[in-house]
Amino acid sequence: LGGPENLPILEQHIDAFDTPSKEELRHKPRLVILGSGWGSVALLERLDKNDYDVTVISPTNYFLFTPMLPSAAVGTLELKSLMESIRHIVRRVNGHYLQASAEKVLFSEKLIKVRCKETNKEFYVPYDKLVIAVGSTSNTHGVKGLQFSNQLKTAEDAIEIRRKIVHNIEKACLPTTTDEERKKLLSFVVCGAGPTGVEVAAEIFDLLNEDLPRHFPRILRQEISIHIIQSRSHILNTYDKTISEYAMNRFERDNIDLLTNSRVKEITPESVIFDQKNEKGEIERKEVPFGLCLWSTGVAQNPLAQQVVQDLSGSQKNKRAIETDSQLRVIGAPLGSVYAIGDCSTVRNDLAEHCADYVRKYIIGSHGHQISRAHSIITDDDIKNVVLSYKEIDGLAEDIAQQNPLSAEALSWVNEIVPEYDVNKSGFLTFDQIKLVLKEVDSKVTSLPATAQRANQQGKYLGRKLSKLCKASTTLSINDIFDGDIDNAISKPFKYRHLGSLAYIGNSAVFDLPGYSFVGGLVAMYLWRSIYFAQTVSLRTRVLLFMDWLNRGIFGRDLLA
Ligand code: FAD
Ligand code: MG
Ligand code: MG
Ligand code: MG
Ligand code: MG
């Protein structure tokens, strides 16, 4: 005991002396990683071994390959093929794993309050560096009756969906089942037409068309229905328009019932109640009975992330994610001690807030002074009286873009909006006007997507950086570290690269790659698979996935539950 609230502080892992490498690592800085998902695993893959004494804390002791979870939910793939033991992954860096959830971070004490769900016991884990990668939860939109629906986030969710589908089909075959009950059992409703909802609908469609006819009574075919309820007018609306349209046409042809412009009001044990807006703009209340209802309408904030934002409320401004700077450091936490990556985080766009700094640097830079001396010579008041020409603002924007790659694109068309802010058409902007320009730029930069792709890129970036930091701590001189900012001295800011999205639509994948889109066909299906195949973490999962596809091709889906 002895920690805050008189809870014990973890002094030493029970496996601290298990191997010579573990014993040696006890003297290294303690790196604690919260979560065992995409962000964490990418980080662990990039981290050099023997740099840190690593501890992963997560309630799930496996990594889950989420992009293929919809396939596992309907039995196209074995769930085990999508899971990889976190202990196996942690072993590479001679780290430790604790099955528990983080509840709170004490930033000044550098302690994490942790609870084990099964034992309901709490304790503290100390850290030197902390990475928060706890992901997101499902958005509820405050709808009543969600307990009657299913979600698809975890391995258990997939098992539950698969079990329900199989049992509903079997129940539908019983002689005691009425026609009406049968229709209800075979009605699948998906709320939310993002990639997950669309993929589940497509997988269910394939299952019903490819496997049911082989083994089940013919009558089932006519009684099956699939409905997608979507609040917007299009499905997959974050994708390219051609893709969205392709998917809609495809679903129409397949008799999948697309209910667009519809808002779910309530879910009862029997049916989904929703309001649909018709072409005249009138709202009609409607109801669809279901045997299985999937709720998949986007992400919401994880409870720990919520707690962190609340504890740092003086500095954190975003209500939906933990804000980091472009080095992925949590804003408001002691500099360089806490990072956040993946779904639970976002990189702040705050060019406007740092306008004075940028202008100061630009002026100093363009007059060739030594930065450190001039810093104090030009006061904030001097800066606020600055007036810059259009051409100078272009140069300023270029400088800022270099330091803020996430905003670079938005900054590249600054020259088009500058005249709008030059109220008296003088050819110059005042400091306050420049600040307004940067505000507009900030508002145009979209926040990072909640995707595996992003979490993976951030994890890799941070893993590499943490290893560099460890080595730099012995080689860097004070002169290398400007303003005490080691991160900035050794690494470039994080830069997100959009590599395209993929979604599965009934035996053909749709692609959204930067530059061009192409849709449909068998080739697409294999490409879809091979891309995921290459991303798969280990040889073991790769072999298992391959076996699953082979199996499905030869024997059809497995309908045991
Ligand atoms: P996660 O991978 O969710 O990991 C979070 C981890 O934190 C988990 O291990 C969790 O158990 C743990 N955790 C939670 N709370 C705590 C706590 N308090 N303390 C400690 N640990 C905690 N993205 C794509 O790019 N392409 C796709 O095709 C795609 N398909 C998807 C399909 C489905 C069905 C789903 C659900 C998601 C899909 N995604 C896809 C999104 C992708 O899975 C997420 O964006 C990604 O998992 C985010 O990674 P992360 O590391 O932030 O969080
Ligand atoms: Mg993670
Ligand atoms: Mg994951
Ligand atoms: Mg997906
Ligand atoms: Mg995360």
Side-chain angles (χ1 to χ4, degrees):
L1 299 186
E5 300 174 69
N6 218 23
L7 292 170
I9 297 180
L10 174 75
E11 299 270 351
Q12 181 175 288
H13 284 285
I14 59 168
D15 56 353
F17 296 95
D18 280 10
T19 62
S21 0
K22 275 192 178 155
E23 204 177 328
E24 218 163 279
L25 284 174
R26 292 193 314 125
H27 308 293
K28 297 277 181 170
R30 289 162 300 191
L31 169 63
V32 177
I33 300 167
L34 306 180
S36 53
W38 277 94
S40 309
V41 166
L43 190 161
L44 286 164
E45 272 174 5
R46 276 305 153 95
L47 199 65
D48 290 344
K49 26 173 149 177
N50 307 328
D51 283 349
Y52 292 91
D53 185 12
V54 178
T55 303
V56 173
I57 300 172
S58 173
T60 34
N61 67 357
Y62 55 85
F63 164 76
L64 185 62
F65 194 76
T66 47
M68 285 187 162
L69 205 54
S71 309
V74 300
T76 310
L77 289 173
E78 267 315 313
L79 194 58
K80 277 216 179 95
S81 317
L82 309 183
M83 294 158 79
E84 179 79 35
S85 154
I86 192 68
R87 287 191 176 276
H88 181 93
I89 296 167
V90 165
R91 195 167 60 198
R92 197 187 67 82
V93 293
N94 296 303
H96 316 273
Y97 168 70
L98 299 171
Q99 185 166 45
S101 289
E103 304 233 294
K104 194 175 169 71
V105 180
L106 306 183
F107 295 99
S108 38
E109 289 91 343
K110 291 197 163 184
L111 291 173
I112 308 145
K113 187 179 178 185
V114 159
R115 178 201 293 270
C116 167
K117 196 174 142 208
E118 278 73 26
T119 64
N120 206 20
K121 290 217 166 99
E122 295 179 316
F123 56 99
Y124 283 97
V125 177
Y127 66 86
D128 296 304
K129 287 206 178 277
L130 172 66
V131 179
I132 305 174
V134 292
S136 53
T137 59
S138 297
N139 201 336
T140 63
H141 295 288
V143 166
K144 256 204 305 191
L146 285 188
Q147 69 272 28
F148 306 119
S149 69
N150 283 72
Q151 302 193 352
L152 185 55
K153 273 292 225 191
T154 65
E156 288 84 43
D157 293 342
I159 293 170
E160 178 59 23
I161 290 174
R162 185 167 176 174
R163 200 190 57 79
K164 251 195 198 168
I165 293 175
V166 175
H167 284 302
N168 283 357
I169 293 172
E170 292 296 358
K171 266 193 241 163
C173 300
L174 292 176
T176 47
T177 303
T178 65
D179 282 355
E180 198 191 336
E181 279 169 345
R182 190 177 303 120
K183 274 212 176 82
K184 180 175 162 291
L185 284 167
L186 297 175
S187 163
F188 299 89
V189 177
V190 174
C191 306
T196 300
V198 164
E199 284 182 33
V200 171
E203 287 278 0
I204 292 175
F205 180 83
D206 280 357
L207 160 85
L208 301 177
N209 278 280
E210 290 169 12
D211 299 297
L212 279 198
R214 293 206 231 182
H215 309 287
F216 289 86
R218 206 181 302 165
I219 183 165
L220 297 196
R221 279 297 295 270
Q222 292 126 41
E223 316 244 300
I224 284 165
S225 61
I226 302 174
H227 316 265
I228 302 180
I229 301 180
Q230 157 79 336
S231 57
R232 309 276 190 90
S233 59
H234 278 71
I235 66 172
L236 292 177
N237 52 35
T238 59
Y239 287 60
D240 189 276
K241 210 169 147 219
T242 31
I243 281 169
S244 165
E245 273 161 16
Y246 171 83
M248 302 224 346
N249 291 338
R250 180 74 199 243
F251 278 174
E252 206 161 302
R253 205 190 74 202
D254 290 346
N255 285 324
I256 290 178
D257 178 26
L258 268 183
L259 300 156
T260 51
N261 299 313
S262 301
R263 215 163 261 287
V264 175
K265 288 286 149 191
E266 190 184 341
I267 300 176
T268 72
E270 311 289 320
S271 67
V272 180
I273 298 165
F274 62 98
D275 281 347
Q276 188 170 35
K277 212 194 244 172
N278 65 21
E279 274 145 30
K280 285 181 237 145
E282 298 155 350
I283 289 173
E284 272 176 85
R285 176 131 309 183
K286 294 188 174 173
E287 190 170 350
V288 222
F290 66 81
L292 177 86
C293 171
L294 178 78
W295 183 259
S296 142
T297 62
V299 300
Q301 204 172 19
N302 165 289
L304 177 82
Q306 240 164 12
Q307 182 70 47
V308 166
V309 169
Q310 193 187 316
D311 291 344
L312 298 174
S313 61
S315 320
Q316 293 277 327
K317 299 208 177 89
N318 193 307
K319 293 277 165 286
R320 287 175 307 170
I322 301 174
E323 285 182 309
T324 70
D325 62 14
S326 59
Q327 295 277 351
L328 309 186
R329 295 172 294 196
V330 173
I331 294 172
L335 194 68
S337 60
V338 187
Y339 299 83
I341 54 175
D343 282 6
C344 69
S345 71
T346 186
V347 178
R348 180 188 284 178
N349 313 311
D350 56 356
L351 302 183
E353 199 174 308
H354 292 116
C355 188
D357 284 342
Y358 293 127
V359 171
R360 178 186 288 118
K361 272 193 196 160
Y362 173 73
I363 293 171
I364 295 164
S366 60
H367 291 90
H369 289 292
Q370 178 121 46
I371 293 182
S372 52
R373 256 205 12 234
H375 232 11
S376 51
I377 295 170
I378 304 178
T379 66
D380 275 2
D381 282 342
D382 296 335
I383 294 290
K384 303 243 155 85
N385 293 322
V386 153
V387 175
L388 295 183
S389 70
Y390 290 8
K391 196 165 162 253
E392 286 172 320
I393 292 171
D394 257 3
L396 173 71
E398 246 171 67
D399 279 10
I400 300 177
Q402 249 170 26
Q403 298 160 56
N404 299 272
L406 291 175
S407 309
E409 205 188 309
L411 283 162
S412 68
W413 41 252
V414 148
N415 56 355
E416 286 172 31
I417 57 171
V418 161
E420 289 169 35
Y421 288 88
D422 182 11
V423 210
N424 46 9
K425 304 287 165 232
S426 63
F428 293 89
L429 291 195
T430 65
F431 177 81
D432 289 332
Q433 289 167 335
I434 296 170
K435 202 166 169 181
L436 288 177
V437 170
L438 292 186
K439 241 196 188 122
E440 178 165 346
V441 170
D442 278 341
S443 72
K444 291 281 160 62
V445 177
T446 48
S447 52
L448 298 172
T451 62
Q453 207 179 95
R454 187 261 281 225
N456 179 269
Q457 287 178 25
Q458 290 191 316
K460 281 183 184 159
Y461 166 88
L462 193 54
R464 225 178 292 131
K465 181 160 84 177
L466 285 169
S467 277
K468 268 202 210 162
L469 274 173
C470 172
K471 279 147 203 143
S473 62
T474 54
T475 58
L476 277 188
S477 69
I478 298 293
N479 288 338
D480 295 329
I481 307 165
F482 182 62
D483 282 346
D485 191 339
I486 309 180
D487 286 63
N488 257 323
I490 65 148
S491 107
K492 290 201 181 115
F494 169 73
K495 190 170 181 308
Y496 172 68
R497 290 171 59 229
H498 185 63
L499 299 176
S501 326
L502 305 160
Y504 179 68
I505 299 181
N507 253 343
S508 63
V510 287
F511 284 76
D512 182 7
L513 299 165
Y516 68 96
S517 313
F518 88 84
V519 284
L522 208 61
V523 177
M525 183 175 80
Y526 284 104
L527 193 50
W528 171 73
R529 286 178 176 175
S530 62
I531 284 176
Y532 281 139
F533 210 61
Q535 281 182 0
T536 310
V537 272
S538 73
L539 183 64
R540 174 188 158 271
T541 35
R542 250 178 265 182
V543 169
L544 285 175
L545 272 177
F546 186 70
M547 297 298 285
D548 285 345
W549 287 326
L550 211 63
N551 232 318
R552 177 196 159 189
I554 300 170
F555 305 110
R557 284 181 189 79
D558 160 20
L559 288 175
L560 312 172

